[in-house]
Every structure is written in C-alpha cells, then in structure tokens.
C-alpha cells in the first residue's frame, strides 16, 4: 500500500509540475484549453497557425490546443463532461451539436459573439438548437459530381449548370449511356466502401431530400413516419436500389481511386477530393452540381464547428477566439491553406481559390445555394445509424419499403423512449 | 485430478500474493459487469442530460419477444386456383405496423405450410440473426483454425530446414492489427479486382464464376471465417508446438521399432498426447470466435442483409453508436447468460461421460 500511495503522490506532483509548466510566465494571460478532433495534416497545420495568430494578436488570452483522435472524439467529450473536465473551447461535428446541447455540454454563443459577425455566416455553418445558436463553423465542405469533360462529350451529354442541373431522367440516361460505352464497368462511384454511417447520411440524405423525402419531420422533430417511409422516400429507395441492379454503381468499391484510375466516369463526393482530381484529370475535370431529383438539388451542410463548453469560466475569451476565426482574412487563409469552403461572402472574396472566378468558387456557390443541414435533434445518431443500415440493406436487395419502414420504426421508438427529447438541461453538471 | 492446495492453510500471504489479480478482476470485470447488469433495467443513454430511470424488464422484452403470424392467401375466396396461380399475401409490415397487438414486431423468418404463410416475428430480429450468425461462425472457424494450426505445428516441428523462419512467418499474422488484416483481405476478396478471384479464374482458365465473397449472404460469413482462421492460426500453432514437444520421443522410437506407419504414429501417439492441448485450444478458439467484432465492423458492417451481423457487433451498434447503452448492456448480459449455460451444460456432459 505504501508503494501505491507514494506513486499516487508522485503522479499528483508530476501533474502539478506539468500544469505549472503550461502557465505563461511572461505575462498574466488567461489560459484557455481548446480540444480539436484529429484532421488531415494540411488542415491541422492551418489550424495551428490560426491559433498562433490569435495568441499573437492580443495579450489577454492564450489558447493551448489539444488534438484528440477523431474516432473516439465524441466519447472523450462525454467522458470529460461526466468528470467535469471539459475544455473551454471545442470543435463539434455539426450533427452532434443538438445532442451535446441536450446533454448539457455546450452553452449558447449568440450572446457572446456579436450578431453582426454571426449573421454574415452562411446558414449551413451554424449549429442551432431550440432557439439558440451553439456553434459556428469557419469552413464547410460541399458535395459535387466530378467527371471528365471528354467522357460527357463522348456520349453527347449536356453539361449542367448551377441554374440548370441535370434532372433525374437526364442523369439516368447519362449513366446508361456511359455504361453502354463499355469503358466503365461501373460508371458512377458513390464511395460505397466507406463503412461509416456518417458518410452515408451526409452523402445520401440530401438525395432523399431532393426526391422530396427527409430523415425526419423537421417541423416537429418527433417522428419520421410518412417522411422517411413515404411515397417520395420510396421512390428514392427504389432508384437507389436500381443503381446497383442496373450496374451503375459498385456495391463495394475496392478503393477510392475509381475516378482517378479511370474505372469510373463520375464520382459523387466532397470538395476535399478536388486537389487529387485536378492532378489526375487536369483541364478535363468538370465539377458539377448534383442532379435535381424533383425538389431541386440538395447537398449536405455543416462540418466541424466551434463551440464553448457550459463549464467554461472565461466564455468571453473563447468568444474572442471564435470572433477572430470569423474575420474575413482568417476565413480566407483557412480556405486557401486547407481547401475548405469559406462560410462568409467576405472571406470567399479574399480567398484566391473561392473568390468569384476562382477555381473552387463552385463549391462556395453549391454550399450557399443547395446546402441543407442534417436534422438538429439529439436523436441524430439513431437516425443516422438506421438510415445507414436501411441504405445498405436496400443496396443489397432488401425491399425498399420494408427497409425504410424498419428505419422509421426504430427512429420513432428512440424518440418516444426519450420523451421526444423535451427535457432540457437545467444547470451544467 | 490432483487435489488443489487449500487456501486457508497458507493464510493471508496467499491472499496478499493473489491481491493484484483479484483486485484487477473485481475492478475491471466484476464491477463493470454488475454495472452493466444494473443498466439493463434502466433507459440510460450514453449522452443524456439526466441519469436513466428504472423501466423494469422493457429492454429484455424488446430483445427476446418472439411472436408469429399466420396468413392465408389474399384472393383465395375468389376460388381462382388455376395453374400458375401464385398465392399473394398481405404485406407483413402493414399488419405489424397497424395492429397494436403486433406493435414493435418485425419479421424474422418466413415459411409456408400448404397455402398458409407463417411468419416468425421478433421485436429484435437482428439480435436473433446475430446469435445464429455468431454460432455459425464459431462452427466454421473453430475446426478450420484448429486443424490449420495443428497442421502448421506438425510442419514446423518435423525437423525440416529453416523451420524457425517458417514458425516466425506463420506466427506473423497474429501480431498484425486485425483492422489492417481485415482491410487487406477486403481487397483480396474483391469480386472484380481481388487476388483470390483472379487466382481462381487463373487456375480454372476463366471458367469459374467470379465469387462476390463479401457481397453474397451465403459466402460472406465463410469468407470471414477463412480470413479469421488465417489470422489466428499462428497462435494456436504455438500452443500445439509446445504440446508436441511435450510428447516423449521414446514413444515414437518404440512405435518405429514396432513398425508403425507415420499415420499410425500420428493417430495413436500424437493425438492422444495432445488431448489436453486440443481441449484447451478448442476452448480458447471458441471463446475468441464468439466475440467476433472487428472483422465485421471493418469488412461488412453486418451485411449483406444481416448475414454477418454478430452479437458483439449488434451490442456495439445499439449500445454505443446509437447511444442506447442500457440496451447494449442487455444484449451483452443475455449473451453472457447464454454462454454460461452452454458451458455448464458442456461440463456436465463431460463429467458424465468421463465417469
């Protein structure tokens, strides 16, 4: 026991020592801890620079960032919240905002960051829940169709524009013609190899919305009945299944290089792939809006955003950091460094890639015109997981109506079990 | 059986030496299990503003409730039973979703007796399917992996040249991360570009049909069993190797003098000599097989159409990914109880047969 006790003392003193080291001795700045999910190297480096610029820009606050693995990020937040050790600032994946608010991890920021700064941010990049604004993003991503000009020319297909995207019939016809050339075993790549519900919901629920369905009835957020399994959703399900039965899409893409290698003529994916595709296809590359499946094109909105924890004792400092990030020059720097879609018009104008006429301007336009967020409800993880399994089963041949009915029942049951998620938190833990 | 040394005679010293292990077991096994057991009677969620409420047996009801539905063909009344007439039935879900008696039930399996269609319903058909899948996987992988391990052990124990290198090679998959192995095998299993199908088509001169290993409900689980056996066999090989080296060389020498063939030596000396090892290896492999998760999560996510969903996968899906930790715990607790009963039954049978 004696050994155990001394080791405990050792640990405590060690951690005290580390804390002491962390303090800035040169000035009496207030330390704020920031938790980030692990992102790609480029994004990571760009984020670090932004923090350094903030620390250098004023003398009151000092942000220290800690990067956590993305796989267990949500669990880390939950654990830290239970232990009362949440950092002041954290990145939050937009669909998880409602859940975090419901559980009492986040505090509203609409009183902290000025309204003028928040209103210039595109709607897709703010996390709202029950009348308050809890998170705001510095950047977003956009879904698009990437293809080669030469491939479309060969089959005589029209090049769609933002104002006149392909219709469902046109899109089907193009896929059939591309398939008929014999050059592509599967003309369209939908990244079906991705094993995570996140991707399937992010990528395919906008198509469901474009068909006229949705993941949940957004007016009440109480039920998916008639929306996820209604006539429009059924048409979406049948069409999605037909992509596989007609051999347009591979049920399991062996890798994510089908378009680069020329195995697929077209790929439906996010703006983060643009640099690789530009290298592979050069001037032949076309970045197109997704088809209009009936209710206009829709893409997913809402990426990683910034939020302030309920336990943060220096929320004004955290808000200062968020305001700093929303400065047009900062938004533009992040956009150009990491290829992320800027969320403000002013930021886009300052960016060399996203300004009018810039090579990535299309993504900004797509986000501004067509982005719709995933539903802001604490039930999101249940919705996402069940939608994912319904789509997988549909792709594998299950009756679409049965698959969508099952998902609807599971979602409605979860919402009922939680009393519609009406209980909001009182004071923080 | 030798009598176990009696604890009380050694006094507190024995407990002192055992303390780290006992504390570890209590802290990381017994306490979490008891907590999980308590959770099963609540509606606790992973992310929630308040702690769960007591809800009695609801989680167990949802997990285990089974019912059935008997349907007669739709237009039998019209008497239109001509040749080529196929009986049509009302869609099961339109009944289960409208009839309050069947609320929450979903079809698990369907069969026909005469003109009647019988549907077995369950509140959680995925769990039942996962249970069947898990035991099917164990039935496939345990014999495959153990016989492969024994074969490898015999091979690297035969005194051939360079056998140390081969021991290392055969053992190397065990050290690799299962996630990496799964990703690599997903490539190998690919229908169009995978090496396995290319090899099959090469040796069959292109006549063999391409197998959609992971995309076909019939072949997905066997494919995962093959991969798992390949990955895990090295470990069992090592145990068999130890067992083989424990068999006295004199027995083989005596058998040689008696003129026994190599098959007779294997069957009458090696196998009986390995009896305890084989039992141990079987038990260890079975336990590992019943916990199948990583391969499923990486390679198939339970698909196609639940053909590879396992109990552990189901528990993680519901408990962690859908944040319903109480339900996930219920899956784990029921599974634990089921395996305990199986082990107790197996031991009782073993005792009776050895008497």
């Amino acid at each position: 026991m004696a050994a155990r006790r001394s080791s405990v003392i050792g640990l405590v003193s060690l951690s005290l020592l580390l804390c002491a080291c962390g303090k800035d001795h040169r000035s009496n700045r207030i330390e704020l801890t920031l938790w980030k999910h692990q992102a790609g190297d480029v994004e990571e480096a760009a984020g670090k620079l932004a923090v350094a610029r903030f620390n250098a820009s004023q003398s009151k606050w000092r942000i220290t960032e800690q990067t956590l693995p993305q796989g267990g990020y949500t669990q880390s937040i939950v654990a830290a919240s239970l232990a009362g050790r949440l950092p002041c600032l954290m990145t939050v994946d937009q669909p998880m905002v409602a859940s975090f608010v419901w559980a009492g991890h986040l505090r509203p920021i609409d009183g902290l960051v000025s309204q003028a700064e928040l209103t210039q941010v595109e709607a897709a990049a703010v996390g709202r829940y029950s009348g308050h604004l809890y998170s705001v993003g510095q950047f977003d991503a956009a879904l698009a169709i990437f293809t080669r000009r030469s491939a479309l020319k060969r089959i005589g297909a029209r090049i769609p524009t933002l104002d006149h995207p392909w219709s469902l019939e046109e899109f089907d016809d193009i896929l059939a013609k591309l398939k008929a050339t014999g050059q592509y075993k599967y003309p369209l790549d939908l990244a079906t190899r991705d094993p995570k519900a996140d991707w399937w919901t992010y990528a395919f629920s906008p198509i469901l919305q474009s068909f006229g369905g949705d993941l949940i009835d957004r007016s009440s957020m109480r039920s998916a009945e008639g929306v996820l399994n209604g006539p429009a959703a059924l048409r979406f399900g049948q069409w999605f299944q037909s992509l596989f039965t007609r051999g347009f899409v591979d049920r399991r893409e062996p890798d994510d290089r089908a378009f680069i290698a020329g195995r697929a003529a077209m790929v439906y994916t996010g703006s983060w792939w643009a640099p690789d595709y530009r290298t592979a296809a050069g001037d032949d590359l076309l970045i197109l809006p997704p088809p209009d499946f009936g209710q206009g094109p829709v893409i997913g909105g809402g990426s990683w955003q910034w939020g302030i924890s309920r336990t943060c004792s220096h929320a004004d400092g955290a808000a200062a950091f968020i305001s700093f990030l929303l400065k047009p020059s900062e938004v533009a720097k992040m956009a150009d460094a990491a290829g992320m879609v800027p969320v403000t018009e002013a930021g886009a104008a300052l960016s060399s890639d996203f300004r009018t006429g810039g090579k990535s301007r299309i993504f900004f336009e797509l986000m501004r015109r067509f982005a719709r967020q995933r539903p802001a409800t604490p039930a999101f993880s249940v919705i996402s997981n069940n939608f994912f399994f319904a789509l997988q089963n549909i792709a594998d041949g299950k009756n679409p109506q049965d698959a969508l009915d099952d998902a609807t029942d599971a979602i409605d049951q979860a919402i009922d079990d939680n009393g519609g998620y009406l209980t909001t938190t009182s004071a923080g833990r | 059986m030798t009598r176990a040394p009696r604890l009380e005679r050694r006094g507190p010293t024995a407990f002192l030496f055992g303390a780290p292990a006992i504390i570890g077991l209590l802290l990381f096994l017994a306490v979490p299990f008891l907590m999980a057991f308590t959770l099963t009677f609540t509606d606790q969620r992973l992310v929630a503003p308040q702690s769960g409420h007591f809800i009695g047996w609801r989680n167990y009801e949802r997990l285990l409730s089974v019912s059935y539905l008997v349907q007669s063909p739709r237009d039998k009344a019209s008497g239109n039973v001509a040749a080529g007439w196929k009986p049509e039935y009302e869609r099961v879900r339109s009944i289960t979703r409208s009839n309050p008696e069947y609320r929450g039930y979903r079809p698990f399996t369907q069969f026909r007796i005469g003109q009647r269609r019988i549907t077995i319903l369950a509140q959680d058909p995925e769990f039942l399917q996962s249970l069947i899948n898990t035991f099917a996987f164990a039935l496939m992988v345990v014999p495959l992996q153990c016989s492969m391990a024994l074969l490898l052990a015999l091979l690297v124990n035969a005194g051939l040249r360079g056998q140390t290198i081969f021991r290392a090679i055969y053992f190397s998959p065990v050290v690799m991360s299962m996630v990496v192995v799964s990703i690599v095998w997903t490539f190998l299993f690919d229908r169009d570009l995978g090496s396995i199908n290319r090899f099959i088509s090469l040796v069959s001169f292109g006549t063999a049909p391409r197998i959609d290993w992971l995309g076909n409900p019939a072949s997905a689980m066997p494919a995962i069993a093959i991969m798992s056996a390949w990955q895990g066999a090295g470990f069992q090989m090592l145990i068999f190797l130890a067992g083989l080296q424990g068999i006295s060389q004199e027995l083989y020498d005596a058998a040689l003098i008696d003129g026994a063939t190599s098959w007779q030596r294997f069957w009458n000396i090696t196998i009986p000599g390995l009896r305890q090892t084989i039992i141990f290896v079987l038990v260890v492999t079975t336990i590992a097989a019943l916990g199948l998760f990583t391969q499923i999560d990486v390679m198939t996510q339970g698909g196609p159409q639940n053909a590879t969903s396992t109990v552990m996968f189901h528990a993680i899906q519901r408990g962690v990914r859908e944040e319903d930790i109480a339900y996930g715990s219920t899956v784990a607790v029921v599974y634990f109880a089921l395996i305990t009963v199986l082990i107790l039954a197996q031991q009782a049978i073993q005792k009776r047969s050895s008497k």
Side-chain angles (χ1 to χ4, degrees):
Chain A
M1 269 326 270
R4 188 171 283 256
R5 196 169 301 146
S6 72
S7 75
V8 168
I9 292 167
L11 237 144
V12 168
S13 52
L14 189 73
S15 56
L16 282 175
L17 204 72
L18 285 172
C19 286
C21 287
K23 286 243 170 70
D24 195 330
H25 293 291
R26 286 164 300 165
S27 61
N28 47 356
R29 288 185 176 203
I30 299 165
E31 287 251 349
L32 298 175
T33 313
L34 156 72
W35 275 14
K36 287 172 67 177
H37 65 285
Q38 201 164 25
D41 291 342
V42 185
E43 189 187 328
E44 193 95 27
K48 275 209 171 72
L49 284 176
V51 169
R53 282 195 297 272
F54 174 73
N55 285 339
S57 73
Q58 40 71 48
S59 56
K60 198 173 177 197
W61 315 103
R62 184 178 183 80
I63 303 267
T64 42
E65 55 178 332
Q66 286 169 6
T67 309
L68 281 74
Q70 196 171 336
Y73 188 74
T74 303
Q75 275 94 315
S76 306
I77 299 274
V78 173
S81 179
L82 286 173
R85 297 185 60 88
L86 273 177
C88 222
L89 270 159
M90 52 190 165
T91 59
V92 198
D93 197 9
Q94 185 268 325
M96 290 306 291
V97 168
S99 186
F100 281 4
V101 172
W102 182 63
H105 305 328
L106 295 176
R107 59 160 298 160
I109 60 172
D110 34 13
L112 288 166
V113 180
S114 81
Q115 207 58 39
E117 281 166 319
L118 291 174
T119 43
Q120 57 163 343
V121 178
E122 295 295 331
V126 287
R128 286 179 195 280
Y129 182 63
S130 64
H132 283 286
L133 201 149
Y134 286 90
S135 65
V136 59
Q138 192 193 16
F139 51 79
D140 204 344
L143 286 162
I145 286 192
F146 299 81
T147 185
R148 287 181 168 86
R149 199 183 298 272
S150 53
L152 292 189
K153 202 169 182 186
R154 193 172 158 192
I155 54 163
R158 174 178 77 89
I159 294 175
T161 61
L162 286 165
D163 295 319
H164 293 284
W166 284 325
S167 67
L168 172 60
E169 292 71 29
E170 258 183 306
F171 189 51
D172 270 353
D173 182 51
I174 287 164
L175 289 176
K177 279 181 180 154
L178 285 169
K179 172 112 183 155
T181 61
Q183 197 180 340
Y184 315 100
K185 178 145 195 206
Y186 303 103
L188 178 65
D189 176 4
L190 291 181
T192 46
R193 67 190 295 273
D194 198 314
K196 288 187 294 295
D198 293 352
W199 164 251
W200 289 66
T201 310
Y202 176 70
F204 306 127
S205 68
I207 300 183
L208 167 69
Q209 286 177 295
S210 184
F211 266 93
D214 207 338
L215 292 171
I216 188 170
D217 174 6
R218 298 210 189 200
S219 57
S220 68
M221 291 284 188
R222 284 299 298 262
S223 170
E225 182 72 46
V227 183
L228 181 54
N229 60 350
L234 179 62
R235 267 186 288 120
F236 159 75
Q238 286 164 341
W239 176 79
F240 190 73
Q241 191 165 56
S242 80
L243 289 176
F244 301 93
T245 52
R246 289 183 288 176
F248 293 166
V249 178
D250 192 355
R251 174 63 188 87
R252 256 166 245 281
E253 282 290 339
D255 56 31
D256 47 19
R257 301 179 50 81
F259 179 69
I260 293 174
R263 289 201 314 271
M266 232 182 242
V267 51
Y268 171 67
T269 189
S271 48
W272 56 88
W273 270 101
D276 296 74
Y277 294 157
R278 283 194 182 112
T279 321
D283 288 341
D284 204 13
L285 182 72
L286 281 176
I287 303 171
L288 306 173
D292 172 0
F293 294 100
Q295 305 293 312
V298 181
I299 66 166
S303 178
W304 286 86
Q305 305 181 342
W306 303 90
I308 303 176
S309 73
R310 193 171 278 273
T311 50
C312 179
S313 43
H314 297 288
D316 47 341
F321 178 64
I322 292 178
S323 298
F324 178 80
L325 290 179
L326 292 178
K327 276 169 44 178
S329 60
E330 284 301 318
V331 171
K333 272 180 190 144
M334 190 66 187
D336 284 340
M340 300 302 206
V341 182
V343 295
T344 63
E345 178 70 69
L350 282 182
S351 144
S352 55
D353 291 347
F354 292 91
R355 67 186 154 78
T356 316
K359 62 176 179 180
S360 294
R361 178 71 185 183
I362 170 107
F363 296 123
F364 181 72
E365 294 291 340
L366 283 170
M367 177 202 65
R368 199 164 57 166
R369 292 192 189 199
F370 306 134
R372 267 193 249 170
Q373 287 186 338
R374 283 151 282 176
T377 159
F380 180 75
S381 50
V382 176
I383 292 175
S384 177
N385 219 39
N386 281 288
F387 183 62
F388 167 55
F389 277 104
L391 285 190
Q392 289 229 316
N393 284 332
I394 288 171
D396 286 328
K398 183 170 174 173
N399 178 310
Q401 185 73 67
D402 288 355
L404 294 169
D405 276 348
D406 286 353
T408 304
D409 288 343
I411 291 165
D412 283 10
Q413 190 182 58
I415 295 175
D416 277 351
D417 285 351
N418 289 285
Y421 300 98
L422 290 178
T423 32
T424 43
T425 18
S426 42
R429 282 167 200 268
Chain B
M1 279 235 330
T2 54
R3 202 191 298 169
R6 279 163 58 186
L7 257 185
E8 58 265 48
R9 230 185 263 166
R10 307 277 175 102
T13 337
F15 275 111
L16 197 69
F17 278 98
I22 292 171
I23 291 172
L25 272 176
L26 284 177
L27 216 61
F28 295 111
L29 219 72
V31 172
F33 183 78
L34 284 177
M35 283 167 71
F37 188 68
T38 324
L39 278 183
T40 62
F41 296 102
T42 69
D43 60 357
Q44 179 68 47
R45 298 183 66 80
L46 219 48
V47 181
Q50 68 275 350
S51 51
H53 309 286
F54 178 77
I55 51 161
W57 294 94
R58 192 181 79 185
N59 284 322
Y60 289 93
E61 276 167 24
R62 283 192 185 164
L63 187 66
L64 300 170
S65 292
V66 175
S67 181
Y68 66 95
L69 180 71
V70 182
Q71 291 172 288
S72 302
R74 226 177 218 160
D75 39 348
K76 209 183 173 186
S78 64
N80 186 17
V81 195
W85 175 79
K86 270 195 182 159
E88 271 180 34
Y89 304 90
E90 195 185 347
R91 192 166 156 262
V92 174
R93 274 177 189 74
S94 25
I95 299 170
T96 55
R97 300 183 89 244
S98 55
N99 187 340
E101 209 177 307
Y102 288 116
R103 192 77 202 152
Y105 283 94
R106 281 177 293 141
F108 169 58
T109 183
Q110 244 172 21
F111 53 89
R112 291 234 304 258
I113 296 178
Q115 290 294 334
R116 285 203 189 137
R117 186 173 77 170
I118 296 158
T119 310
I120 305 291
L121 301 161
Q123 292 216 5
D124 191 350
E126 282 91 23
F127 173 68
L128 298 181
Q129 188 61 50
S130 302
L131 208 58
I132 293 171
N133 291 343
T134 313
F135 284 106
F137 173 76
L139 277 180
M140 280 185 253
V141 84
V142 172
L144 185 68
Q145 190 167 341
C146 292
S147 49
M148 234 166 88
L150 183 57
L151 201 77
L152 292 177
L154 290 170
L155 216 61
V156 297
N157 198 41
L160 303 168
R161 269 203 320 162
Q163 62 181 16
T164 331
I165 297 170
F166 280 104
R167 274 179 206 174
I169 291 174
Y170 295 148
F171 189 71
S172 60
V174 181
V175 216
M176 277 189 243
S177 148
M178 186 49 114
V179 174
V180 175
V181 172
S182 301
I183 291 172
V184 170
W185 276 76
T186 312
F187 287 124
L188 297 181
F189 277 131
D190 188 76
R191 186 184 50 200
D192 301 312
L193 306 167
S195 309
I196 293 176
N197 272 355
R198 285 191 177 181
F199 176 75
I200 291 174
S201 111
L202 194 76
V203 295
S204 67
F205 301 104
T207 52
R210 291 201 162 167
I211 305 168
D212 189 2
W213 287 99
L214 297 175
N216 187 332
S219 63
M221 205 46 132
I224 288 173
I226 291 169
M227 184 217 111
S228 307
W230 175 85
Q231 195 269 349
F235 177 68
Q236 280 85 350
M237 174 193 82
L238 224 57
I239 302 172
F240 276 130
L241 207 55
L244 283 175
Q245 286 169 354
I247 302 173
S248 168
Q249 188 58 37
E250 291 163 17
L251 294 171
Y252 290 105
D253 294 342
L256 266 180
I257 294 169
D258 288 344
T261 62
S262 55
W263 173 253
Q264 284 172 322
R265 270 175 286 149
F266 172 72
W267 196 247
N268 295 313
I269 300 174
T270 312
I271 292 292
L274 284 178
R275 197 185 129 82
Q276 291 303 323
T277 317
I278 291 173
I279 291 175
F280 174 74
V281 165
L282 284 177
V283 169
V284 169
T285 318
T286 311
I287 291 172
L290 293 178
L292 175 67
F293 171 75
T294 313
Q295 296 94 306
I296 302 302
D297 195 40
V298 176
M299 297 173 81
T300 62
Q301 301 87 52
Q305 297 210 48
N306 279 325
T308 60
S309 176
T310 64
V311 179
M312 286 329 282
F313 181 75
H314 191 58
I316 297 282
Q317 278 301 330
R318 301 297 307 273
V320 180
R321 304 211 168 128
E322 295 186 13
E323 297 170 359
D324 193 350
I325 193 69
Y327 193 80
S329 303
T330 314
V331 174
V333 166
V334 167
Y335 192 44
F336 173 81
L338 198 71
I339 292 176
T340 311
V341 168
L342 281 179
I343 290 173
L344 290 179
Q346 183 232 347
Q347 280 186 343
I349 292 166
Q350 217 167 29
K351 243 181 211 163
R352 190 173 288 179
S353 64
S354 64
K355 255 179 198 172

